[in-house]
Amino acid sequence: MAQAISFTRPDGAAVSGYLAAAERPVGAVVVIQEWWGLNEQIRGVARRWAGAGFTALVPDLYRGRSTVEEEEADHLMTGLDFGAAAAQDIRGAVQYLKGLKLGSGKVGVSGYCMGGALALLASMLVPEADAAVVWYGMPPVEYVDAGKIGLPLQAHWATQDEFFAIAGVDALEAKLAEAGVRYEGHRYLAHHGFANETAQGPGRIARTQYDAAWAQQAWDRAMRFCGQHLG
């Protein structure tokens, strides 16, 4: 079952979101959108998490707006307050799921592209989160305070990513290692968006490319990781 809901941020403001309920939940996950907005593709991602046993909530970070145009997506992303999105919207979503007491009661965060950067920020700013999975997205390394990451962290990177160069990943991973973060990183010979099934055919934008084989392997690893830390 999936439906639109409303939940409350720590500051009291209301946020809408898309909730996909697992039939027999073992835990829960906050799913964070790509720069396109809360569209049907990310709703499908939430349903996939639910099908695997994790009730999933996608907070509507753009407040009802979404796009299929790269220029407009960049505009929407640029206008987003990343700090507030992580510390308020995403934290509020984690708190909402915690209140449902689903399965183990544990809640993870998983984000894609822009959402990957937000998932990494949330690992520092959302103390209630129990694990985080980052998919090909990160904030500038100088904004990462690895000493504040106390949860287990998994990440999936594309070695041919032109949005988030692998050299930046090297710098991030060095920072995580120095801080002793419980980190599991995986690299794929793929392009940005390799797990987004809409990144193919005539609707694909340049510099992105879906890869079914790598996507399946990344999903399998993410499910095992979340089963271990959220189940």
Side-chain angles (χ1 to χ4, degrees), residues 24-114:
R24 296 181 181 84
V26 297
V29 173
V30 173
V31 174
I32 313 171
Q33 67 192 51
E34 295 192 12
W35 66 348
W36 306 114
L38 205 175
N39 58 13
E40 182 54 32
Q41 189 275 331
I42 205 69
R43 292 188 187 96
V45 170
R47 293 192 295 269
R48 184 169 183 173
W49 278 103
F54 299 95
T55 289
L57 173 57
V58 188
D60 186 1
L61 303 181
Y62 289 165
R63 306 297 189 263
R65 292 174 295 173
S66 64
T67 184
V68 296
E69 300 294 333
E70 183 176 1
E71 184 176 351
E72 178 63 11
D74 184 63
H75 174 72
L76 289 170
M77 181 181 69
T78 301
L80 182 69
D81 183 332
F82 273 59
Q88 293 293 331
D89 291 18
I90 296 168
R91 188 179 183 190
V94 169
Q95 291 174 341
Y96 174 86
L97 290 173
K98 284 274 185 176
L100 298 181
K101 297 182 171 65
L102 300 167
S104 67
K106 295 181 178 180
V107 178
V109 176
S110 181
Y112 305 76
C113 178
M114 179 190 83

Side-chain angles (χ1 to χ4, degrees), residues 105-190:
K106 295 181 178 180
V107 178
V109 176
S110 181
Y112 305 76
C113 178
M114 179 190 83
L118 284 165
L120 193 54
L121 289 175
S123 72
M124 297 180 280
L125 299 173
V126 182
E128 297 88 349
D130 296 295
V133 180
V134 172
W135 301 71
Y136 38 77
M138 57 181 283
V141 175
E142 59 267 27
Y143 290 106
V144 177
D145 186 348
K148 292 183 178 179
I149 303 176
L151 48 65
L153 175 68
Q154 184 188 68
H156 304 278
W157 309 109
T159 59
Q160 296 174 308
D161 199 321
E162 295 181 55
F163 287 98
F164 299 94
I166 206 67
V169 175
D170 291 338
L172 172 66
E173 291 185 335
K175 208 170 190 180
L176 297 174
E178 184 179 3
V181 175
R182 290 174 289 167
Y183 171 71
E184 174 187 315
H186 301 283
R187 300 186 182 200
Y188 307 84
L189 184 60

Side-chain angles (χ1 to χ4, degrees), residues 45 48-49 112 135 195 215-224:
V45 170
R48 184 169 183 173
W49 278 103
Y112 305 76
W135 301 71
Q216 186 61 55
Q217 185 173 88
W219 269 102
D220 289 345
R221 286 168 166 166
M223 294 305 176
R224 284 196 298 270

